[in-house]
């Protein structure tokens, strides 16, 4: 009706578990994290309402392709292969991959020591692609959720986990503290972007809003809140 400023309501997809970008906060029973705060700030800037839909990471791109989602924010790495099927915003986070091993591991000191080893990681991610391309690796076991890969490592059922650096670091400093350690250098530098269905008009609006949040200090404030330092 006239005078009503009806806002567009969109559906935003996210990963069910990718700490500290998105995770279920057990105290509030709501989703929390850097991506969750970022999408809230973007929605205010652009002026949309949204419903958050959580799913396994590898369900996000198919859901965008079939327009079940209007956008997906899930620490998703901008990759040429993905750019063929979805559109990305400007990059909003720089990351890489890290190797995680048991605390008392002595043999594996870096990438070159993974020959003959069993690696656990997460399905449909850049880490899975990376791990399956390491020369001489014995086996790469993909899990829908990275927490299952970490458990596999702790049980000794896998020799190493390879996954996104911010998640690996968070895990090794929190739940995995005293049980695991990272080894070697940061591997395969990559950048995260927000993904949209091909040709989405929302992409440009969100991209402009992202530029604004980077300029007005909102982005830095959120980055500091979740990563403890300025970007
Ligand atoms: N950045 C990784 C990828 O895009 C993993 C993201 C995630 O697990 N949410 O493949």
């Amino acid at each position: 009706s006239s005078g009503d400023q009806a806002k567009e309501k969109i559906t935003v997809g996210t990963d069910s578990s990718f700490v500290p970008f998105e995770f279920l906060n057990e105290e509030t029973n709501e989703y929390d994290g850097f991506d969750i705060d970022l999408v809230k700030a973007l929605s205010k800037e652009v002026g949309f309402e949204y419903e958050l839909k959580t799913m396994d990471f590898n369900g996000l791109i198919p859901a965008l392709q079939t327009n079940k989602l209007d956008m997906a924010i899930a620490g998703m790495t901008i990759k040429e292969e993905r750019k063929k099927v979805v559109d990305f915003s400007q990059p909003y986070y720089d990351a890489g991959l890290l190797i995680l091993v048991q605390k008392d591991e002595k043999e594996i000191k870096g990438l070159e020591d993974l020959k003959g080893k069993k690696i656990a990681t997460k399905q449909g991610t850049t880490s899975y692609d990376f791990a399956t391309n390491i020369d001489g690796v014995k086996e790469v076991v993909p899990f829908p959720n990275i927490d299952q890969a970490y458990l596999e490592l702790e049980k000794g059922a896998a020799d190493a986990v390879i996954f996104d650096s911010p998640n690996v670091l968070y895990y090794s400093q929190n739940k995995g503290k005293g049980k695991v350690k990272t080894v070697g250098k940061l591997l395969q530098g990559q950048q995260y972007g927000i993904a949209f269905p091909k040709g989405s008009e929302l992409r440009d609006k969100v991209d402009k809003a992202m530029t604004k949040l980077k300029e007005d200090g909102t982005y830095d404030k959120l980055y500091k809140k979740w990563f403890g330092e300025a970007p």
Side-chain angles (χ1 to χ4, degrees):
S1 59
S2 61
D4 271 355
Q5 295 215 314
K7 283 187 179 176
E8 192 187 359
K9 182 149 187 184
I10 67 161
T11 307
V12 177
T14 190
D15 191 338
S16 43
S17 173
F18 186 55
V19 182
F21 294 83
E22 45 265 347
F23 59 96
L24 188 66
N25 182 324
E26 278 161 17
E27 275 160 39
T28 60
N29 207 33
E30 282 185 34
Y31 266 82
D32 211 349
F34 182 65
D35 283 346
I36 307 298
D37 280 350
L38 197 56
V39 77
K40 191 190 267 174
L42 289 167
S43 76
K44 283 188 196 147
E45 193 57 42
V46 177
F48 61 77
E49 283 176 6
Y50 62 99
E51 183 197 344
L52 212 54
K53 254 202 174 137
T54 58
M55 58 186 79
D56 284 348
F57 180 74
N58 70 350
L60 290 167
I61 289 183
L64 288 166
Q65 286 180 282
T66 50
N67 289 301
K68 290 191 180 85
L69 297 175
D70 299 299
M71 64 186 244
I73 184 161
M76 191 183 287
T77 303
I78 302 171
K79 266 181 72 165
E80 285 312 313
E81 216 183 309
R82 290 175 179 163
K83 276 197 203 164
K84 289 183 193 148
V85 294
V86 296
D87 287 343
F88 280 101
S89 69
Q90 61 180 288
Y92 71 90
Y93 189 91
D94 292 339
L97 306 179
L98 275 174
I99 302 171
L100 193 74
V101 294
Q102 285 194 352
K103 184 86 191 174
D104 51 12
E105 170 66 47
K106 297 216 166 53
E107 260 181 65
I108 305 171
K109 298 194 190 77
L111 190 57
E112 48 302 334
D113 307 315
L114 290 174
K115 281 206 174 72
K117 302 295 182 192
K118 187 173 165 186
I119 301 171
T121 188
K122 180 166 158 184
Q123 227 167 49
T125 63
T126 49
S127 296
Y128 180 75
D129 293 341
F130 184 86
T132 49
N133 280 305
I134 303 171
D135 256 2
V137 161
K138 185 173 155 209
E139 196 184 349
V140 180
V141 194
F143 292 93
N145 188 316
I146 196 63
D147 302 316
Q148 297 160 291
Y150 290 142
L151 274 182
E152 202 74 351
L153 174 67
E154 283 177 19
K155 282 192 302 192
D159 302 302
V161 167
I162 295 184
F163 198 50
D164 292 54
S165 50
N167 184 270
V168 166
L169 288 172
Y170 196 92
Y171 183 76
S172 66
Q173 289 156 12
N174 294 282
K175 265 194 203 162
K177 201 172 175 170
K179 296 186 242 174
V180 293
K181 65 181 179 192
T182 62
V183 291
K185 304 185 288 218
L186 191 67
L187 310 164
Q188 199 186 64
Q190 40 182 267
Q191 293 185 305
Y192 299 163
I194 302 174
F196 301 84
K198 273 261 166 237
S200 157
E201 283 170 19
L202 185 63
R203 196 212 80 97
D204 288 353
K205 295 181 197 165
V206 169
D207 211 53
K208 275 201 194 94
M210 182 83 87
T211 301
K212 172 94 192 310
L213 299 182
K214 284 180 179 175
E215 283 167 2
D216 73 8
T218 308
Y219 174 90
D220 283 9
K221 210 173 92 191
L222 295 180
Y223 194 103
K224 219 167 164 207
K225 172 180 170 190
W226 289 103
F227 305 105
E229 53 184 51

